[in-house]
Amino acid sequence: MEDLAVTAGVRPKSDFWAGKRVLLTGHTGFKGAWLSIWLRRLGAEVTGISLPPETEPSLFALARPDLAASHFQDIRDATKLAELVGSASPDIVLHLGAQALVRQSYHDPLGTFATNVLGTANLLEAVRSVSSVRVVVAVTTDKVYRNLEHVFPYRETDLLGGYDPYSASKAASEIVISCYRDSFLREKGVAVASARAGNVIGGGDWSADRLLPDAVRAWQSGKVLHVRRPEAKRPWQHVLEPLSAYLVLAERLWSDPALADAYNFGPVSHEAAPVRQVIDIALASYGGGEVRYGDGTEGPHEAGWLALETAKARHMLNIAPRWSLAEAVDRTMKWYRAQRDGADAPALCESEIADYEAHT
């Protein structure tokens, strides 16, 4: 049963983040760029570590977030990564750096495992030697669970696993995170948690093989959008939902390290929606476009059903989504339309964050 006492949940607090030294990996990616903007808005001093932006255009290049330092560095290089972590001397580490695409993981499985598993281990090993760190939030994905294609949402205590290399690498990184928390970092007073969220939508994502970016590219160029698996169900959410959750989780870990654990973040489980429904909303918001639906057999294996149980986040952290699926998709498409028509990307992001913070 839903907890009706929890509505929009808590929001990040500027009086907490002001002046905090934050190390953010993956700051040039879609979620990382949004988070960089939000952290600066909250008054944090942000050091970013990431590969250069992989898309053209990229939100990072367009938004130009004001960071204390920005380093283009591969997290697979343990020695150089440790040097950068040490020089940043962060209070809080937010680890978003990853190879985050399922289909890319089939093309480069070894690179995916090296980045997502060894890269995470390299970062946590570096944290061991930096006395300033009190909190680490390591972001994985909703795809860390052994997907049995059943109708029940996955809980944090369910078995980890992964069919495709991306999912398997993220499940393995969860084991690494748990190991470092229990074996090394808890005794040093560092609270380490993992955040499991995925199927994020929002303006500024130009990655390949993602539903709404593919739709925008197709419709802006007058082409037909090809949708491989229209009936696949996912826990869709606007990008600001999990980012808010990561920030609130870090705040709670700072005051109560005993909360260090794994957490699912996303919509309530019954609001997982099929791809076809997302496209219907996107079409109405964008104002038209052509779509061709496949029969679900194209391309490599992908799960047909995925939903998360988010009761733990609601009850232990008071974290709950603010925007419905319809609003999340509508805001996403309007962001792309406004940016296409010449609107300033940083201003669009600031306005979206302000709307999210004001939502009750």
Side-chain angles (χ1 to χ4, degrees):
M1 179 178 295
E2 285 299 303
D3 181 359
L4 299 180
V6 177
T7 54
V10 294
R11 69 192 71 186
K13 299 179 177 64
S14 58
D15 58 352
F16 172 85
W17 290 97
K20 289 287 193 304
R21 297 186 306 276
V22 179
L23 177 67
L24 173 62
T25 70
H27 69 294
T28 65
F30 164 54
K31 289 167 69 176
W34 272 99
L35 190 52
S36 297
I37 296 166
W38 203 346
L39 283 166
R40 289 300 300 134
R41 178 183 174 87
L42 293 168
E45 300 175 8
V46 183
T47 295
I49 298 176
S50 182
L51 295 176
E54 295 183 348
T55 64
E56 174 58 44
S58 76
L59 181 58
F60 178 78
L62 290 172
R64 307 177 299 279
D66 180 21
L67 306 183
S70 176
H71 303 285
F72 293 160
Q73 175 59 53
D74 195 323
I75 61 174
R76 292 175 293 185
D77 188 328
T79 300
K80 292 183 178 179
L81 179 61
E83 292 174 359
L84 292 176
V85 174
S87 64
S89 190
D91 303 307
I92 295 171
V93 175
L94 302 175
H95 176 42
L96 276 67
Q99 193 301 97
L101 299 174
V102 172
R103 287 169 70 87
Q104 176 61 26
S105 76
Y106 280 105
H107 296 305
D108 184 17
L110 292 183
T112 299
F113 278 104
T115 298
N116 294 349
V117 183
L118 291 179
T120 297
N122 289 341
L123 177 67
L124 295 175
E125 181 65 19
V127 165
R128 289 181 64 191
S129 302
V130 181
S131 60
S132 62
V133 179
R134 285 183 52 178
V135 169
V136 177
V137 174
V139 175
T140 59
T141 178
D142 54 1
K143 298 173 182 64
V144 297
Y145 297 104
R146 182 184 294 177
N147 196 314
L148 303 176
E149 299 284 353
H150 56 45
V151 298
F152 306 106
Y154 292 96
R155 300 180 178 182
E156 290 86 349
T157 53
D158 284 335
L159 291 175
L160 301 176
Y163 184 106
D164 59 86
Y166 168 72
S167 301
S169 72
K170 283 296 194 174
S173 73
E174 283 279 355
I175 296 173
V176 169
I177 293 162
S178 177
C179 167
Y180 267 83
R181 177 175 56 233
D182 295 340
S183 297
F184 305 113
L185 295 175
R186 179 181 285 121
E187 66 185 22
K188 292 175 61 67
V190 182
V192 181
S194 62
R196 301 169 180 176
N199 291 98
V200 172
I201 58 176
D205 186 4
W206 282 280
S207 301
D209 298 319
R210 284 186 178 160
L211 183 63
L212 293 188
D214 284 350
V216 169
R217 278 187 287 266
W219 298 340
Q220 285 186 354
S221 60
K223 297 179 180 179
V224 177
L225 171 67
H226 298 277
V227 177
R228 298 186 303 274
R229 292 176 170 83
E231 308 311 324
K233 279 193 172 183
R234 297 288 186 270
W236 309 94
Q237 57 186 323
H238 191 276
V239 63
L240 295 183
E241 303 282 15
L243 298 188
S244 176
Y246 306 158
L247 295 172
V248 171
L249 174 58
E251 294 175 21
R252 294 297 308 279
L253 292 172
W254 186 277
S255 60
D256 187 359
L259 290 171
D261 205 348
Y263 293 90
N264 289 338
F265 297 123
V268 292
S269 58
H270 68 269
E271 291 182 352
V275 168
R276 189 187 298 272
Q277 181 179 343
V278 175
I279 291 299
D280 286 345
I281 300 169
L283 272 169
S285 178
Y286 191 77
E290 293 188 63
V291 185
R292 181 183 68 80
Y293 291 110
D295 61 5
T297 62
E298 299 175 55
H301 173 272
E302 293 184 62
W305 176 283
L306 178 58
L308 296 182
E309 174 56 73
T310 57
K312 181 178 177 181
R314 294 197 308 276
H315 289 280
M316 298 187 68
L317 305 172
N318 195 20
I319 291 174
R322 294 171 181 268
W323 288 341
S324 67
L325 174 65
E327 184 164 8
V329 176
D330 184 58
R331 284 179 172 274
T332 298
M333 302 310 289
K334 287 179 177 177
W335 194 103
Y336 282 113
R337 289 177 60 186
Q339 192 273 331
R340 177 202 63 188
D341 294 339
D344 183 60
L348 288 172
C349 293
E350 289 281 353
S351 175
E352 202 91 284
I353 294 169
D355 285 351
Y356 187 85
E357 290 174 334
H359 185 93
T360 58

